[in-house]
Amino acid sequence: MNTTDLQKTGTPSLFSKLPRRSKSRLLMLGALLVWHGKKCLLSLIVLSVLVSSLAASSCHPPQENLNKAAEEIAAGPKGREITRLAQTPPEIGIPAIARYFNDEDELVHAMATLALQKNYGKAGSRQYAEVLERGNDHEVAGILSVIDLSRCVDVLPQVRQVVYARPNLLTRIAAIVTLKSMRDTEGLKEIGLNHPTAEVRVIALRGLNTNAPASKK
């Protein structure tokens, strides 16, 4: 997802302390092991363990940490523009703010995430779904975090679709981690049984097997 070192309270794992780019590199390494290792069982295990670690460490950050990160850039030009956009209707503001997930500064990502969550929340579900369908991988990853933070359960079908429609393995993984965080055991099971790609099935089943029982919605 698009969270970085903004972690839940509790004892962080070694994996959780890594920057987002380092986590992505480790996940990519697992993916390469799968493909270049001829999808051997060990390679699949390596990838699924990395995904489980990511899921455990990359749940949405505490609100106070998002606030603190956003405050660091709120007075700058990007922060002011995100704030302005967040006052516009969702069909204008959400896709425009989502483009800030392409920025190299992860504080900008935090500001964009907070603006979307606070100003639109669940009311932005339709536009979130549109970004999942039409956005690039960075935008999709950012919106997945917003969906998780806002608990937009009505967008879960579109999150599941990301796992099928997106060719980028890391984007598929981000969607699976979101499904796990939102306790979508039905979606994880369906993907684990029916996805055409072996490593995606393994990752989904790993998430399903380490998930708590689904909460009532």
Side-chain angles (χ1 to χ4, degrees), residues 32-49:
L32 289 173
L33 282 172
V34 170
W35 290 114
H36 294 292
K38 298 182 180 179
K39 300 181 182 174
C40 67
L41 179 60
L42 178 60
S43 299
L44 290 172
I45 291 173
V46 168
L47 182 56
S48 63
V49 168

Side-chain angles (χ1 to χ4, degrees), residues 74-94:
K78 291 178 182 178
R80 292 197 302 270
E81 180 62 9
I82 290 172
T83 299
R84 184 192 70 78
L85 288 169
Q87 306 307 313
T88 62
E91 61 270 17
I92 296 173
I94 290 176

